[in-house]
Amino acid sequence: MNLPRPSGTAPFVLSVLDNALTGVGVSAQESYDEVISLAQLADRRGYQRFWMSEHHAMPGASIPSPQLMMARLTGETKRIRLGAGGIMLPNHVPLVVAEQIGMLDALAPGRIDLGLGRAPGTDGATASALRRRHTVNDDFPEQVAELLGFLGNNFPDDHPYRDVPAVPGPWQAEQNRVPQPETSADIWILGSSVYSAQLAARLGRPYAFALQFGSADVLTAMRIYRENFRPSNFLDEPYSLVSVGVVADDDRVEARRQAASGAMAMLRMFQGKSFSLLPPEEVEAFDANTHERQVIEEYTDRTIHGTAAEVAGGLEELQAQTGVDEVMLVVQGHSRRAQARTVELIADHYGMPAN
């Protein structure tokens, strides 16, 4: 893994995660057009990577397959690394994932990231439809090892899949008498718990902690990752990233209104309703009881929101606490314009390229 330099004047590397948030009143097609535009903007402004994450059965999130969107973005961007951040591996067959990632790396050599998680990315009923075996989560380390075996074509001789190659990949190059691929996808372990930190450390892989999901113990996870890290052929020393919800706007009141839209979607999900991003006006008009208001306020405050300077201050405080190498902006809000504005304002604040 080639370690990137800090972004602009920021004391860390900056990246972007887009969940293809699709607010009430917005179609999936419109959302995809905006994802492409945001990826191009992040590419021009010098962000390190642009990730998308897998979600299912949510009206407010339109990417059940990050791999498909990545394929489109390979032709729409020039420099930025493109990633599935992540693919929920227990939802998939490792061989198919290896084939898809091999194709993507052939389309955009040296620009592909694959983040692996084990959460279902949806509700219980949909998870059951995706995962026919109830113990599939328990097999996550074995699934990761199997995926890595397919990607490297390096299963042990006695492995049952020793003679099952992933195409494209090293085996195909050998068979066709062409040079081996010069690049391969960077494989990350994702999570929001000590479990994922331990696995990333044991495998010698970069670790991404998803702080946008709640108040998980990121400090303990990062400490365990660093203390237990085993150097690998892929990575000599620990490399970590934290992703966090962000809304920046010239008007701090508008930034909070956009953040509250996401908080309201979380409340709806807790109540067994759909994860829907309501317009800020509807959130403000919602007649919440005391408990509902507390949830909305709590999740609004978990998103770093405000002016560019205020958001940057929050990001720097988070990085100082966690010691991570990279901070990923999880763009939030009902409005896609607000999400693009966040990316622009943070890039401006840190003097990143204005191409």
Side-chain angles (χ1 to χ4, degrees):
M1 177 179 177
N2 294 322
L3 301 184
R5 299 170 61 87
S7 303
T9 60
F12 40 72
V13 179
L14 277 165
S15 293
V16 175
L17 189 148
D18 190 343
N19 285 317
L21 294 179
T22 306
V24 170
V26 179
S27 70
Q29 182 176 357
E30 291 171 322
S31 181
Y32 293 148
D33 288 342
E34 292 296 336
V35 171
I36 294 169
S37 295
L38 190 65
Q40 292 171 330
L41 173 62
D43 192 23
R44 293 194 304 271
R45 296 307 309 263
Y47 286 86
Q48 174 65 16
R49 56 190 99 244
F50 186 88
W51 282 8
M52 296 153 287
S53 53
E54 174 186 345
H55 290 95
H56 300 274
M58 293 183 180
S62 295
I63 297 185
S65 176
Q67 307 93 305
L68 287 178
M69 202 70 204
M70 290 166 66
R72 173 66 184 270
L73 294 180
T74 61
E76 300 283 356
T77 57
K78 298 179 180 178
R79 175 206 57 82
I80 198 165
R81 296 190 67 92
L82 303 170
I87 288 177
M88 302 298 105
L89 192 55
N91 294 348
H92 305 274
V93 177
L95 174 58
V96 175
V97 175
E99 292 170 336
Q100 293 169 342
I101 295 304
M103 288 181 66
L104 289 167
D105 188 60
L107 288 167
R111 293 176 55 207
I112 301 301
D113 293 333
L114 173 57
L116 302 174
R118 66 185 183 119
T122 187
D123 60 88
T126 308
S128 178
L130 287 164
R131 304 174 175 188
R132 301 306 171 93
R133 291 188 299 113
H134 295 297
T135 60
V136 71
N137 246 14
D138 299 333
D139 301 334
F140 182 61
E142 289 75 20
Q143 290 178 308
V144 173
E146 186 176 308
L147 174 62
L148 295 175
F150 282 126
L151 288 171
N153 192 41
N154 56 4
F155 284 116
D157 290 339
D158 59 350
H159 195 281
Y161 301 146
R162 181 67 182 87
D163 296 320
V164 181
V167 175
W171 178 86
Q172 184 190 44
E174 178 183 343
Q175 293 295 307
N176 288 342
R177 303 173 190 171
V178 297
Q180 290 289 320
E182 295 183 0
T183 62
S184 61
D186 285 358
I187 310 300
W188 293 65
I189 301 299
L190 312 185
S192 55
S193 69
V194 169
Y195 176 93
S196 54
Q198 291 171 329
L199 180 60
R202 178 163 57 84
L203 295 177
R205 295 282 169 169
Y207 179 49
F209 191 97
L211 196 58
Q212 68 269 23
F213 295 133
S215 56
D217 189 354
V218 61
L219 300 183
T220 298
M222 287 298 169
R223 175 180 57 78
I224 287 175
Y225 171 61
R226 296 185 185 107
E227 289 179 354
N228 295 278
F229 181 84
R230 300 178 185 175
S232 67
N233 292 334
F234 182 75
L235 191 61
D236 292 331
E237 57 189 28
Y239 187 89
S240 58
L241 172 158
V242 64
S243 57
V244 62
V246 171
V247 182
D249 196 279
D250 296 312
D251 181 354
R252 61 169 59 91
V253 174
E254 179 59 21
R256 187 169 184 84
R257 292 176 77 240
Q258 292 294 330
S261 182
M264 182 69 185
M266 293 298 294
L267 172 64
R268 288 176 55 84
M269 191 169 63
F270 296 150
Q271 294 175 333
K273 302 174 184 178
S274 63
F275 182 90
S276 299
L277 284 164
L278 303 179
E281 296 78 15
E282 290 190 35
V283 177
E284 291 172 335
F286 177 64
D287 186 18
N289 59 37
T290 301
H291 173 70
E292 291 170 334
R293 179 54 53 194
Q294 288 175 341
V295 173
I296 294 172
E297 292 294 326
E298 178 184 352
Y299 274 85
T300 299
D301 289 336
R302 287 182 180 179
T303 296
I304 301 177
H305 61 275
T307 65
E310 290 169 338
V311 170
L315 298 176
E316 290 171 22
E317 181 179 356
L318 175 62
Q319 191 272 339
Q321 292 174 344
T322 60
V324 294
D325 304 284
E326 189 164 339
V327 176
M328 181 167 277
L329 312 181
V330 184
V331 291
Q332 301 283 294
H334 173 271
S335 164
R336 294 294 309 193
R337 185 208 69 82
Q339 296 168 37
R341 190 63 180 145
T342 294
V343 171
E344 284 272 26
L345 286 173
I346 297 305
D348 289 344
H349 181 83
Y350 286 118
M352 294 165 67
N355 298 344

